[in-house]
């Protein structure tokens, strides 16, 4: 099922996700829905917060972006990225390893808004997979960037928080307009809910 993606200005994007205590059939269905939603919007990552469900769950698939390579190592050995995609990360923990690098980023909760963000080039990742098993790996390139972007979402952090002032300034009018639009939509939806009972016959 394709889920609606919430945009900047929605309070769910600022909520820290609850840890998942067990990978239940419900969680697996939720992950399936996250993947379907991400592919529908041609994204390379999607976090639970972006569909207004603050849980420590995100999905990533970098296969389609050939011009921005990724690396993945398990116990020091290079792996075939495709074998790990799509990737589901549950309760992920990250340890930065590499030097910070700048690169372009977008976000499905900020449609059409792109800017450079500086992040560590390599990270160590420890997370539960869809089977509830611990996976540990080191990644670099686009995959490292995507996983850090998604991990941020799980903490309620957004890519605009990670930008330097200059880059943030460039897109400020765009994200402020988006925030205003989202808040207006939320207020209208709230009003509709309040009004609804009066429509019922007494
Ligand atoms: Zn995002």
């Amino acid at each position: 099922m394709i889920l609606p993606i919430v945009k900047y200005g929605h309070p769910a994007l600022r909520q820290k996700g609850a840890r998942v205590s067990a990978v239940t059939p419900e969680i697996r269905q939720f992950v399936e829905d996250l993947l379907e939603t991400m592919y529908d919007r041609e994204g390379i990552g999607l976090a639970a917060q972006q569909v207004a469900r603050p849980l420590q769950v995100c999905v990533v698939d970098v296969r389609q972006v050939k011009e921005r390579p990724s690396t993945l190592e398990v116990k020091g050995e290079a792996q075939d990225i495709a074998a790990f995609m799509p990737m589901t990360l549950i309760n992920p923990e990250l340890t930065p390893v590499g030097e910070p690098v700048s690169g372009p980023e977008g976000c499905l909760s900020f449609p059409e808004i792109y800017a450079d963000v500086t992040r560590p080039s390599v990270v160590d990742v420890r997370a539960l997979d869809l089977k509830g098993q611990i996976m540990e790996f080191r990644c670099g390139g686009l995959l490292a960037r995507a996983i850090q972007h998604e991990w941020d979402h799980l903490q309620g952090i957004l890519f605009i928080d990670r930008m330097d002032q200059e880059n943030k300034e460039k897109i400020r009018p765009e994200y402020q307009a988006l925030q205003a639009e989202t808040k207006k939509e939320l207020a209208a939806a709230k009003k509709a809910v309040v009004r609804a009972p009066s429509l019922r016959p007494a």
Side-chain angles (χ1 to χ4, degrees), residues 50 107 149 153:
Q50 293 179 277
C107 179
H149 179 114
H153 273 303

Side-chain angles (χ1 to χ4, degrees), residues 13 45-47 50 105-110 149-150 153 157-159:
L13 291 174
L46 189 63
Q50 293 179 277
E105 271 181 42
C107 179
L108 291 175
S109 295
F110 290 76
H149 179 114
E150 299 314 321
H153 273 303
I157 299 168
L158 298 169
F159 75 154

Side-chain angles (χ1 to χ4, degrees), residues 76-122:
E77 272 185 47
Q79 306 287 318
D80 174 18
I81 304 273
F84 288 79
M85 300 292 143
M87 186 180 266
T88 302
L89 299 169
I90 299 171
N91 304 335
E93 290 163 24
L94 304 190
T95 311
V97 185
E99 288 299 306
V101 284
S102 179
E105 271 181 42
C107 179
L108 291 175
S109 295
F110 290 76
E112 313 295 323
I113 300 177
Y114 301 91
D116 284 347
V117 182
T118 301
R119 300 185 184 273
S121 56
V122 177

Side-chain angles (χ1 to χ4, degrees), residues 57-93:
V57 178
C58 62
V59 293
V60 170
D61 192 338
V62 294
R63 278 175 295 186
Q64 54 161 336
V65 191
K66 306 275 188 246
E67 68 281 9
R68 294 175 75 187
S70 300
T71 59
L72 197 159
E73 285 173 20
V74 177
K75 295 189 174 96
E77 272 185 47
Q79 306 287 318
D80 174 18
I81 304 273
F84 288 79
M85 300 292 143
M87 186 180 266
T88 302
L89 299 169
I90 299 171
N91 304 335
E93 290 163 24

Side-chain angles (χ1 to χ4, degrees), residues 142-180:
L142 182 63
L143 181 59
R145 181 171 292 281
I147 288 178
Q148 290 177 82
H149 179 114
E150 299 314 321
W151 183 88
D152 276 352
H153 273 303
L154 304 184
Q155 323 308 318
I157 299 168
L158 298 169
F159 75 154
I160 53 171
D161 307 334
R162 298 285 191 195
M163 285 170 198
D164 60 33
Q165 279 310 313
E166 198 189 333
N167 282 315
K168 198 173 168 181
E169 208 54 54
K170 276 187 232 163
I171 58 161
R172 189 186 298 275
E174 292 172 76
Y175 72 71
Q176 284 186 337
L178 175 63
Q179 185 183 41

